[in-house]
Amino acid sequence: MKVGQAVAEIMKREGIEILCGYPVNHLLEFAAAADIRPVIVRQERIGLHMADAISRVTSGRKIGAFCMQHGPGTENAYGGIAQAYSESVPMLVIPQGYPRRIAHIDPNYNAVRDMRGISKLAEPVGLPSEVAHVMRRAFSAIRNGRSGPAIVEIPTDIWNEEVGQHFEYTPVGVHKYAPDPVDIRKAAAAILQAKRPVIYAGTGVQWAEAWAELREFAELLGAPVTTSLGGKSSFPENHPLSLGSGGNAVPKPVHHFVHNADVIIGIGCSFTETNFGIKFPKDKTFIHATLDPNHLNKDVVSSIGLVGDAKLTLAALIGELRQTIKSNRDSKPVVAEITKIREEWMEHWRPLLNSNEAPLSPYRVIWELMNTVDLKNTIITHDAGSPRDQISPFWVSTEPLSYIGWGKTTQLGMGLGLAMGAKLAKPDKLCINLWGDAAIGFTGMDFETAVRERIPILSILLNNFSMAIELKVMPISTEKYRSTDISGDYAAMARAFGGYGERVTQPGDIKAAIRRGIEQTQAGKPALLEFITAKETRVSKF
């Protein structure tokens, strides 16, 4: 068996069905021969984003995989790997490497050396006989503990060498751990003494599939729940105890309850300080449950640390608390407070959500979209910048993994690849990306990939012909040189690629256009709806 055949066989045994990539990487051919579908993209970053989503929407039960050419292909891939690393996304990345005799000669790019800081594991295949060992370590790193990309660099001159007569490979196991029972008792005692606890759920709840336990925990305490962008949809946002998700923009209930809390219970989160997350006051008691002990005391003082899988952690906390709390606490006062604060907030924003102005309000587009789709059968993701801040406070996620939130690093154009990867992993879902005219400038060519690879997503584009979010910080360059102006007819672009494209300018046409776009995806054709919007810079900050 040749090295390439062995790598493809191992991937197949580990359950990988799709390999995103861009040639030349000889793994694409070996994978196709093993009935692993290659999906060829127009640029490396989009392929990594697709692999990212495959892992996300399956809670890592399916592992996204990507391969690329040595040299420029690997260099171009850096951003997509960095994004996945920042959010602990399990992913197998297989760069083709330079021939072994020149792999470490300047200026040749070496993925193992230069990507070690953005990967959980980075290792080359130096000997054919070591393929199974290297791949086993990669998959074990991906599947156990806090995850991240595992990089296996395979030199271009080794693919066709024989691995030897004794090739063996058994898929790796998934092994979880729970917090120390002493820490569980400490945390439960602090929670029982809390007057105004708030639960903060992160992406770890999604990876652990701890949705039922999170809900049981919240209802037992009668405590309000907010989430990070990555944790959005881990708790149903139509639940009476939901505050909504927090990012750069936050619903008013999140701000109100976080600032008035005495104890904040973080579950499956890192509490990373970021412009795209909740700004937590420092004068709170933080109970911090995380898979990675390196997160403890990193950005907030962890009064009590609980190191372990979110599902096991919640089960242990519930078990300890039920020794004192025999039935669910009365949540009516908390629910009444949430309802009051939310209604005040919605009253302020309702004019924009229902705006009849043209150019269109992006908030009206988002509101119409949410009230048109079947939320239970939809997966949606935002993009960087204004679309993220406009949708995340108002979109009500009701099903686990129905919203792909991201943001510790924010690469423009990521949403397109995420929607495409989600559709590959969940073909029966309506998969949507919401983006702006800046983002489409980065990755818009890969709408052609959606057409060519038969990935019928719905792409919602907010086009205001401007980098509106930069208007406040670039007034002189805008006035003198129009530096924030951008342009394009993106509906026409979608049609030129063979997809469905429609431009919408009037508020009365929004809902019908969305329905037409959905119909096109149901017929197997990717659809791009381009909404001409105002240069809206207001976001929910209170």
Side-chain angles (χ1 to χ4, degrees):
M1 181 180 285
K2 298 181 186 302
V3 167
Q5 292 172 319
V7 173
E9 176 62 24
I10 290 168
M11 291 170 61
K12 191 169 184 178
R13 291 185 193 183
E14 289 285 1
I16 291 178
E17 300 171 344
I18 293 170
L19 175 62
C20 302
Y22 193 84
V24 171
N25 185 308
H26 298 303
L27 181 59
L28 291 165
E29 275 294 285
F30 288 112
D35 298 323
I36 296 173
R37 175 186 172 184
V39 175
I40 306 301
V41 294
R42 300 297 292 263
Q43 65 153 297
E44 289 81 3
R45 187 156 66 92
I46 279 288
L48 284 152
H49 297 160
M50 292 167 69
D52 180 314
I54 290 171
S55 293
R56 286 190 198 234
V57 301
T58 63
S59 294
R61 290 184 179 272
K62 292 183 179 180
I63 300 299
F66 180 79
C67 70
M68 63 287 205
Q69 183 181 1
H70 63 287
T74 304
E75 293 161 14
N76 285 344
Y78 193 97
I81 299 170
Q83 178 82 47
Y85 177 76
S86 75
E87 304 199 3
S88 309
V89 177
M91 184 191 301
L92 177 66
V93 182
I94 301 187
Q96 188 157 276
Y98 281 92
R100 283 164 288 181
R101 65 182 182 82
I102 58 171
H104 299 277
I105 304 300
D106 186 73
N108 295 335
Y109 191 88
N110 185 289
V112 170
R113 179 191 64 214
D114 297 327
M115 292 182 168
R116 193 175 296 279
I118 54 166
S119 60
K120 187 175 180 185
L121 176 144
E123 186 175 354
V125 174
L127 294 171
S129 59
E130 290 297 304
V131 168
H133 299 305
V134 174
M135 294 294 286
R136 184 182 67 251
R137 287 190 285 270
F139 276 104
S140 189
I142 288 169
R143 295 194 187 278
N144 291 289
R146 179 191 173 200
S147 196
I151 297 172
V152 176
E153 188 171 31
I154 303 181
T156 187
D157 61 344
I158 204 172
W159 289 106
N160 288 303
E161 292 187 12
E162 295 290 333
V163 300
Q165 296 180 344
H166 303 292
F167 172 76
E168 294 180 359
Y169 187 85
T170 301
V172 303
V174 177
H175 307 286
K176 300 181 180 182
Y177 47 90
D180 187 329
V182 172
D183 292 328
I184 289 291
R185 288 193 290 271
K186 288 179 182 178
I191 291 168
L192 289 170
Q193 292 176 6
K195 303 299 182 185
R196 290 183 64 91
V198 168
I199 300 166
Y200 174 62
T203 317
V205 176
Q206 309 276 40
W207 295 121
E209 299 179 326
W211 312 299
E213 289 81 2
L214 177 61
R215 182 169 181 159
E216 182 181 355
F217 182 62
E219 291 174 350
L220 176 65
L221 297 176
V225 180
T226 184
T227 73
S228 65
L229 285 176
K232 187 176 174 72
S233 80
S234 64
F235 189 80
E237 293 181 320
N238 58 352
H239 191 286
L241 289 170
S242 173
L243 303 175
S245 64
N248 182 45
V250 296
K252 187 175 182 180
V254 171
H255 179 87
H256 171 83
F257 276 88
V258 165
H259 281 264
N260 288 286
D262 57 347
V263 175
I264 295 174
I265 309 162
I267 304 292
C269 68
S270 64
F271 281 121
T272 295
E273 184 176 337
T274 169
N275 289 333
F276 310 105
I278 296 172
K279 303 297 188 292
F280 288 100
K282 301 299 183 183
D283 60 341
K284 308 297 178 185
T285 296
F286 289 91
I287 298 172
H288 190 177
T290 174
L291 195 59
D292 187 348
N294 291 320
H295 288 155
L296 298 177
N297 298 299
K298 179 170 70 74
D299 294 296
V300 301
V301 176
S302 305
S303 300
I304 300 168
L306 302 171
V307 179
D309 173 79
K311 191 180 187 80
L312 298 178
T313 300
L314 284 168
L317 282 172
I318 291 166
E320 184 67 27
L321 288 166
R322 284 203 182 278
Q323 295 184 40
T324 302
I325 308 173
K326 301 303 181 183
S327 60
N328 291 354
R329 286 176 170 173
D330 181 11
S331 62
K332 289 179 184 176
V334 173
V335 170
E337 187 177 352
I338 294 171
T339 303
K340 177 178 179 294
I341 299 298
R342 178 177 288 118
E343 184 51 38
E344 291 174 359
W345 172 65
M346 287 297 292
E347 187 65 24
H348 177 81
W349 286 94
R350 210 166 270 124
L352 282 176
L353 296 170
N354 295 316
S355 171
N356 282 313
E357 294 182 0
L360 305 170
S361 164
Y363 290 102
R364 170 70 185 271
V365 176
I366 291 165
W367 196 246
E368 291 279 12
L369 180 65
M370 188 180 74
N371 287 285
T372 301
V373 303
D374 176 6
L375 288 174
K376 289 188 176 182
N377 196 46
T378 297
I379 297 173
I380 191 167
T381 189
H382 56 248
D383 216 289
S386 296
R388 173 198 59 234
D389 300 338
Q390 289 160 352
I391 189 174
S392 63
F394 297 102
W395 189 273
V396 179
S397 299
T398 61
E399 303 297 318
L401 304 174
S402 62
Y403 190 100
I404 306 176
W406 47 279
K408 288 193 180 71
T409 176
T410 56
Q411 297 173 8
L412 278 164
M414 182 176 176
L416 176 64
L418 290 178
M420 291 162 66
K423 188 66 176 179
L424 287 170
K426 301 285 185 178
D428 294 333
K429 299 286 188 180
L430 171 64
C431 296
I432 306 172
N433 74 297
L434 175 79
W435 53 348
D437 45 347
I440 199 171
F442 278 76
T443 60
M445 283 297 292
D446 269 285
F447 190 82
E448 185 273 338
T449 300
V451 176
R452 172 173 37 83
E453 293 284 357
R454 306 172 302 284
I455 309 172
I457 61 166
L458 177 61
S459 192
I460 303 294
L461 178 70
L462 306 176
N463 185 1
N464 56 19
F465 302 101
S466 171
M467 292 182 279
I469 202 170
E470 276 79 32
L471 289 173
K472 292 180 180 179
V473 296
M474 296 177 64
I476 297 173
S477 52
T478 298
E479 178 66 26
K480 291 177 68 175
Y481 303 108
R482 306 311 307 167
S483 299
T484 56
D485 291 357
I486 46 182
S487 64
D489 185 342
Y490 303 108
M493 180 199 79
R495 293 193 296 271
F497 287 151
Y500 178 81
E502 181 177 349
R503 177 175 277 193
V504 183
T505 60
Q506 298 301 314
D509 297 331
I510 296 173
K511 185 178 288 288
I514 292 169
R515 286 175 174 160
R516 286 191 291 271
I518 293 171
E519 288 171 359
Q520 290 292 322
T521 67
Q522 291 170 340
K525 179 179 286 191
L528 187 149
L529 303 179
E530 179 184 18
F531 295 92
I532 305 304
T533 61
K535 295 178 176 64
E536 181 60 77
T537 58
R538 288 168 288 184
V539 298
S540 179
K541 287 283 194 178
F542 57 83

